[in-house]
Amino acid sequence: MIPNQWYAVLRGQDVKNKPVGITRLNKKLVLYRDSNGEVACLEDRCAHKGVLLSKGKQHGDAIACPYHGFQYNQQGKCVHMPVLGKCGVIPRTMQVPAYKVHEQHGLIWLWNGEQQDSYPEVPMFANFAEYKGFTSLYGWTAPIHYTRYVESVCEVYHVPFVHKGSFLNIWDPKGGRVDDFRCAIDGHLITSDFILRPDDERPAQDTLTAKFPWQRGWRIGVDVLMPNLVQIRNDVFDVYLVATPIDDENTWVCFCYQEPKKDLLFPFFKPLPIPLWRQLRPWMMCRMERFIQQAKDLEAIEGQWPRASSLSANNLIPVDKVNAYYLRLRDKLIREAEAGKSTQSKAPAVPIHLVTEPAGSALETNSL
Ligand code: FES
Ligand SMILES: [Fe+2]
């Protein structure tokens, strides 16, 4: 994973008034809210004998280990050892690592890197940061490497194949041909736009207004924001997801849907402007994503190998350009971080690049 980046690790609503244990970024973590409602994050391991602190209880601003009751504050400092009594001198080594966290956009973000005097903004698509309607956030774990999850969302031309068995597939673009593909990169943001359509003689634009779903093409935008966010835009819904590594085999996936612009089951009716219904629709989209769509994705990609994606692990084609840019930018940010440079205080010197090319042409215009 890329150092010196913010990673979303949990929904804010999942941390209430007791410690929560999670594994993210190959680390065991415990999160809790202090008396001001601020989230604290410590290594989930008591400095005394290695017991999970997430099994303990919260006492004010501290959490107490369930084994011998040692209490640790938000900075991971042991502030009370019952065995020594109230006036006991606490050894300085009785300390657990504390992590920098920040809560925003309904998510808890963890800084994966060195402590700094100031930190960059957490990454978020402007489209969602500014959205005023209802959204729903829903997280779950998937048994694949996070890079494979990101790339599966980057290339939606798998939809006509992977999701064929789904009853929702009546609205999916048929044929899987991609036209009018554009891709650009600006700092940590990769954007793309294309038409996914049936493979017939019509000009791509004509497929967008076809009468029947099985004749219809879709204009779709797919954007990646480093280190691990992907957004899909179309005329029915806007959604983003984060794919945060749990470990080298598993990913914590969190989807965020805005209110859909249409109801696919009743496309000719305007959605009812009732708040409860407006809230329910993004909630349902998230569940549909997990239990219907992702179940199909996993059937296809669960055994994919090598587990982690990379440029050398794939044989990418021109319409995989978002994928290619993502993997290159990832390599670049890892190299920069390893070289000890700050990669977040200023955007990397990646040239803005806009490419329009038909499917089938070469990838040589990449310029990372
Ligand atoms: S193991 Fe935690 S207090 Fe002893
Ligand atoms: Fe899919």
Side-chain angles (χ1 to χ4, degrees), residues 227-246:
N228 64 340
L229 286 83
V230 190
Q231 168 176 252
I232 299 179
R233 306 170 271 113
N234 58 44
D235 62 356
V236 175
F237 61 81
D238 287 344
V239 59
Y240 81 82
L241 71 95
V242 293
T244 297
I246 291 175

Side-chain angles (χ1 to χ4, degrees), residues 16 36 52 143 147 151 158 201 254-255 257 294 307 318 324 339:
K16 295 192 175 110
N36 293 321
L52 292 175
T147 51
E151 75 180 11
H158 73 263
E201 301 308 314
C254 189
F255 269 76
Y257 267 94
Q294 193 208 250
R307 298 288 287 170

Side-chain angles (χ1 to χ4, degrees), residues 309-331:
S309 187
S310 66
L311 284 169
S312 62
N314 300 306
N315 198 354
L316 299 177
I317 57 175
V319 291
D320 291 323
K321 187 167 269 181
V322 177
N323 198 166
Y325 276 160
Y326 161 67
L327 292 171
R328 285 189 185 196
L329 191 46
R330 179 172 178 269
D331 287 350

Side-chain angles (χ1 to χ4, degrees), residues 113-130:
E114 302 295 320
Q115 284 199 351
Q116 306 192 359
D117 293 337
S118 65
Y119 293 86
E121 290 278 306
V122 298
M124 181 48 62
F125 296 105
N127 177 26
F128 276 83
E130 293 156 12

Side-chain angles (χ1 to χ4, degrees), residues 275-293:
L276 193 62
W277 178 236
R278 290 180 56 199
Q279 271 175 284
L280 193 60
R281 294 163 73 238
W283 186 93
M284 289 192 301
M285 295 291 279
C286 284
R287 272 71 190 168
M288 182 270 295
E289 189 62 52
R290 177 181 180 180
F291 294 109
I292 299 175
Q293 306 294 51

Side-chain angles (χ1 to χ4, degrees), residues 13 172 181 215 221 298 345 350:
Q13 67 200 80
D172 285 342
F181 179 79
Q215 298 174 334
L298 287 184
S345 55
V350 177

Side-chain angles (χ1 to χ4, degrees), residues 167 179 331:
F167 70 94
D179 276 342
D331 287 350

Side-chain angles (χ1 to χ4, degrees), residues 152 158-159 162-163 289 293 297:
S152 79
H158 73 263
V159 167
V162 170
H163 301 286
E289 189 62 52
Q293 306 294 51
D297 288 318

